[in-house]
Amino acid sequence: DAGITQSPRHKVTETGTPVTLRCHQTENHRYMYWYRQDPGHGLRLIHYSYGVKDTDKGEVSDGYSVSRSKTEDFLLTLESATSSQTSVYFCAISVTPDTQYFGPGTRLTVL
Amino acid sequence: KNEVEQSPQNLTAQEGEFITINCSYSVGISALHWLQQHPGGGIVSLFMLSSGKKKHGRLIATINIQEKHSSLHITASHPRDSAVYICAVRFNNNDMRFGAGTRLTVKP
């Protein structure tokens, strides 16, 4: 298994609070991704990174920001969480943009 | 517009049956992936295809580029194959999109 961890694995928070999710890899892969998974929608790309300090927006980036100051860490921040951001969040890594290895997921509930 | 559709949405089979899950996409692609999501939530990559057919154990994946269609087959299905199967497509403009998934339940 690729060395990917996500923290926290579960979080319950209130509307309007800031939330940061962390993705950590030990594989030294160049590409890192944040997805959200919602019933009926499949996985949707939020943001991705193609190197340290190099990030770009995905399909559903509104309300989210990311940072990658080190190869091994990719942070996803919800500046002011809303109920529509209740979801399961997956981080993924890859050497090339193709085969991705997924983290275990973080279940976020915004009340 | 880059779109991916999977069918069926849900599938129930008896142990031993031959399973087919379908994936269609809208425009030209550079690669198509089949993923498996276990009941616990973990996602693993099964296949990456750009043409033809690939086989791994009881799993077979095919792709028809002209028809913009791929199928995932499971032979001699087993209850441990119960999972959500996801088709993911990298389009020629480098956009990657995922199907909504097919929930497979194999009953003993």
Side-chain angles (χ1 to χ4, degrees), chain A residues 4-11 21-24 33-37 43 76 87-92 101-108, chain B residues 37 40-43:
Chain A
I4 315 169
T5 56
Q6 292 184 230
S7 58
R9 294 292 314 280
H10 301 270
K11 186 169 182 69
L21 308 182
R22 181 186 184 224
C23 177
H24 179 78
Y33 310 82
W34 275 109
Y35 295 95
R36 59 179 290 173
Q37 186 179 41
L43 289 157
L76 177 70
S87 187
V88 180
Y89 291 85
F90 284 95
C91 173
Y101 301 93
F102 288 83
T106 294
R107 185 173 296 275
L108 175 68
Chain B
Q37 186 169 22
I43 300 172

Side-chain angles (χ1 to χ4, degrees), chain B residues 3-72:
Chain B
E3 294 179 334
V4 180
E5 289 193 7
Q6 277 186 245
S7 63
Q9 195 171 4
N10 293 284
L11 181 56
T12 300
Q14 290 297 130
E15 184 173 356
E17 286 185 0
F18 181 82
I19 304 291
T20 296
I21 299 169
N22 297 298
C23 176
S24 297
Y25 50 90
S26 54
V27 293
I29 68 169
S30 59
L32 182 144
H33 302 256
W34 281 102
L35 312 173
Q36 181 191 53
Q37 186 169 22
H38 301 293
I43 300 172
V44 296
S45 179
L46 298 174
F47 296 104
M48 183 179 76
L49 296 160
S50 54
S51 64
K53 176 170 121 175
K54 286 190 175 179
K55 185 175 189 291
H56 186 253
R58 296 179 294 107
L59 300 179
I60 304 166
T62 64
I63 188 167
N64 185 318
I65 297 296
Q66 287 72 32
E67 295 188 2
K68 297 185 178 60
H69 180 269
S70 175
S71 293
L72 176 68

Side-chain angles (χ1 to χ4, degrees), chain A residues 8-21 64 76-87 89 106-111:
Chain A
R9 294 292 314 280
H10 301 270
K11 186 169 182 69
V12 179
T13 191
E14 293 187 345
T15 299
T17 60
V19 176
T20 295
L21 308 182
Y64 302 94
L76 177 70
T77 297
L78 292 65
E79 299 290 346
S80 177
T82 68
S83 59
S84 64
Q85 293 176 311
T86 292
S87 187
Y89 291 85
T106 294
R107 185 173 296 275
L108 175 68
T109 302
V110 183
L111 300 176

